[in-house]
Structure formats: C-alpha cells, structure tokens
Amino acid sequence: MKHTLRPSQYAILIAIMLTASVGDSLLARGMKEVGAVDLHHLGLLWHALFNPYVDAGIILLIGFFASYTTALSWADLTFVMPATAFGYVVIALMGRYWLHEQLTWSRWAGVALIVCAVGFVAGGPSRTEHPNLDQMDAGAGR
Amino acid sequence: MTETTHMVHAWAAIFFVAAFAVLGEVMIASGMRQLGDLDDIRAARGLGGTILAVLGNVRFVIGALCMALNFFAMLAALSLANLSLAGPAIAALTYIGNAIAAKFFLRERVDKRRWLATACVAVGVFLLSR
C-alpha cells in the first residue's frame, strides 16, 4: 500500500527542517556571546540560560523534538531521516545568502546530494505496513 | 600517548557516540510505531493525554535516555577528536547505522531508493561539514 502524506504531515516535516536548522543556528549564536564553556567554567552554562538566543534556540529544539516524534508516529525512520536532512541545505543557504559566507564547491556538492536524497524518498511510500506486528504493538503500547 | 593510540581512541569515541544515537533513534521510532498516529491520539485524548501517552511509553523513555547519553558521549568525543572530524563522521555513521538498524530491528522496507537516499545524505553531510 502506498502511503501518501496529508498537507498537515508535510507541514510537520517542514517544521522539523526549520526548527532544527534555525534552533542550532540560534544556539551557536548565543553560545558565541556566552563564551567557551569548559570544566573550570561550568557556571557559564547557567549564565547561558539568560541569553535570549539560547532561550529561543532551546524552544525551537523542543519544537523539533515534538515534531520529530510526531513524524515517527506515521512514517518510517528511513523516510523521515533523509526527508528532514534538507535542514542542512537550509543552514548552508542561510550562510551563503544571509551571512554572506563563501560556499566551496564541495559544500555545493553536499547540497546537491541532499536535494537528490530528498527527491528519492519523496517519491516513495512513507511507511512500511506490518499489520500483525502493529496490532501486537498497539495492544502493548496503549 | 602515541599518534596511533590517540586516533584509535578518537575513532572508538566516534563509534560510541554514533551507536548511542542509532540506539536512541531506533527506540524512539519503535515507541512511536507502537503508539500509533499521534494526531489520532490527540483527537481522542487532547494534547495532555498525548504527552502522557508518549512519556509513558517505555521504548520512548529508553530512546530519550540514549539520546541524553549520546549528548554527553559527544562532549567526551570532542575532547579526543576535532569537531571537523567528529561532526561529519558521527553524522554519516548515524545515517548509515539508522538505515541498517531500521531494516533489521524495525523491519522497515529499505528499498534501493532509500539506501541511495541514505548514502546521498551521509556523503552530502560529510561534504557540507568540510
């Protein structure tokens, strides 16, 4: 049976890509402001919680985890992983066009490969059906 | 410590981090499959009931604990290997490890299309991280 996604499920996949990439970028920006944390300066981690970029990053990463677990409730792991890897492309393109960083040919090649990967999985079913296993699991899980 | 011993330790740490990530993701995926579509559960029990159902799933909790261990193992790995080596190596190993584990433990149908996609992402992430 071919599983096709509803528009709300595509929205969850897009939320995973955006929350992961933007969340990581905000955390990186915040931690640059906080400074390097090592074993002798662990108190900085507490200080980091008062940085607005770190706070926004944590909220987005909680959103990422919620979206990711939701997606895994209706799609295979091997479908969700490549489909959401597009977030890496978002980070690379944000770096190129927003932060004006230089992208080397190898990074452009990486972008192209991930776009191809998303194309491969998008054309296939999102879920493998195991009627017997799913029935047993549902009985044990609820 | 010789250069060779240091590299062995660094790669052992990288494999360890990737193993925790694979175990965590597979356990979470298994728990979510066991629960079923969260949209249906939310429609029946509301948001609070859905959160309780997820947090009450043993596989999910084990998976989340593995992801926490993965985070601390990552910190340890970064003290042994450079980020430029550890980051892409862990990401690529995790993608490939997840595909293998999904095929054998989650019984997912990993056809040629999905193997190709996994390989493209692993190589793509490696190239992007250089």
Side-chain angles (χ1 to χ4, degrees):
Chain A
M1 189 169 97
K2 182 175 167 72
H3 271 268
T4 50
L5 298 181
R6 298 190 296 269
S8 62
Q9 292 175 326
Y10 278 113
I12 292 281
L13 292 179
I14 291 169
I16 295 173
M17 294 171 209
L18 294 181
T19 50
S21 50
V22 179
D24 279 345
S25 303
L26 286 169
L27 274 187
R29 168 82 191 255
M31 289 311 289
K32 267 188 186 167
E33 287 185 2
V34 171
V37 178
D38 57 33
L39 281 177
H40 303 292
H41 299 92
L42 284 179
L44 279 176
L45 285 178
W46 175 253
H47 185 67
L49 291 178
F50 299 99
N51 183 290
Y53 288 109
V54 172
D55 292 341
I58 289 172
I59 290 168
L60 282 181
L61 290 179
I62 290 171
F64 158 76
F65 200 62
S67 311
Y68 189 66
T69 49
T70 303
L72 287 175
S73 74
W74 39 254
D76 286 345
L77 182 61
T78 45
F79 176 87
V80 175
M81 279 188 319
T84 55
F86 199 74
Y88 288 104
V89 175
V90 173
I91 290 181
L93 295 180
M94 272 170 62
R96 173 69 185 87
Y97 294 107
W98 186 39
L99 302 175
H100 303 291
E101 293 173 354
Q102 284 299 315
L103 283 191
T104 59
W105 69 267
S106 68
R107 288 191 174 180
W108 279 117
V111 167
L113 277 174
I114 292 174
V115 170
C116 288
V118 174
F120 287 139
V121 290
S126 59
R127 180 109 193 212
T128 309
E129 283 301 323
H130 299 297
N132 294 335
L133 276 179
D134 286 346
Q135 265 182 358
M136 283 192 295
D137 271 352
R142 292 189 188 183
Chain B
M1 194 188 293
T2 65
E3 184 68 20
T4 312
T5 315
H6 185 78
M7 281 306 288
V8 169
H9 285 181
W11 276 103
I14 286 169
F15 275 106
F16 208 54
V17 175
F20 270 129
V22 170
L23 189 58
E25 298 216 27
V26 167
M27 288 305 289
I28 289 173
S30 173
M32 290 302 104
R33 179 176 270 272
Q34 192 178 40
L35 278 176
D37 194 331
L38 290 188
D39 289 337
D40 295 341
I41 298 176
R42 198 179 56 195
R45 302 192 211 169
L47 184 60
T50 309
I51 293 172
L52 282 179
V54 171
L55 294 180
N57 184 279
V58 176
R59 293 181 197 176
F60 174 85
V61 173
I62 293 172
L65 284 175
C66 286
M67 296 308 280
L69 287 174
N70 160 265
F71 177 76
F72 290 111
M74 178 77 170
L75 292 182
L78 288 176
S79 68
L80 291 166
N82 291 329
L83 180 63
S84 57
L85 169 70
I90 289 168
L93 282 173
T94 304
Y95 273 106
I96 293 166
N98 272 338
I100 294 168
K103 180 175 173 61
F104 292 106
F105 296 111
L106 300 176
R107 306 264 180 233
E108 289 184 7
R109 191 169 158 269
V110 188
D111 55 11
K112 275 185 201 160
R113 189 199 296 258
R114 287 192 182 180
W115 280 121
L116 205 52
T118 303
C120 282
V121 170
V123 177
V125 169
F126 190 84
L127 289 173
L128 272 180
S129 310
R130 285 179 67 189

